[in-house]
Amino acid sequence: MIEVIKAELNILRCLNMKPNYSDLARRYGVSRQTISKYDKGFERKETRKRKSKLDKYREEIEEKINLAGATITGVYKYFY
């Protein structure tokens, strides 16, 4: 959806028209500030894919959660 908003802002910029942030915000269901931010050239940063500290225990946790009657709280207390 952000790409569509950026495209419309580019079209308006090419036509030398000032974008109506409030109208665009209503049309796309985002805040007016978000439209303004992307009009000023905001680009999202790529996030790093970090491993969780619990990844090495993933199989064991899944095994315990899949037991009949197991709850997340119960599995947590078991490992704690």
Side-chain angles (χ1 to χ4, degrees):
M1 166 147 54
I2 297 299
E3 292 81 22
V4 175
I5 294 170
K6 287 181 181 180
E8 188 158 349
L9 289 169
N10 284 332
I11 291 169
L12 291 172
R13 199 175 300 121
C14 289
L15 296 173
N16 292 327
M17 295 175 63
K18 185 177 177 187
N20 183 342
Y21 296 150
S22 297
D23 180 47
L24 291 171
R26 278 190 292 274
R27 240 188 295 161
Y28 293 109
V30 295
S31 72
R32 190 188 63 76
Q33 291 84 1
T34 302
I35 302 289
S36 173
K37 177 172 68 174
Y38 281 102
D39 188 35
K40 293 176 184 172
F42 175 78
E43 292 291 329
R44 275 191 158 161
K45 295 180 182 176
E46 291 294 321
T47 58
R48 297 187 314 201
K49 295 282 184 180
R50 283 193 261 174
K51 292 187 176 186
S52 169
K53 292 179 180 179
L54 299 176
D55 278 347
K56 55 186 170 185
Y57 307 109
R58 182 178 199 88
E59 290 177 14
E60 194 175 354
I61 291 171
E62 286 177 352
E63 182 182 309
K64 297 297 180 190
I65 286 179
N66 290 332
L67 292 175
T71 63
I72 293 174
T73 306
V75 173
Y76 169 76
K77 289 183 179 179
Y78 171 80
F79 283 108
Y80 185 73

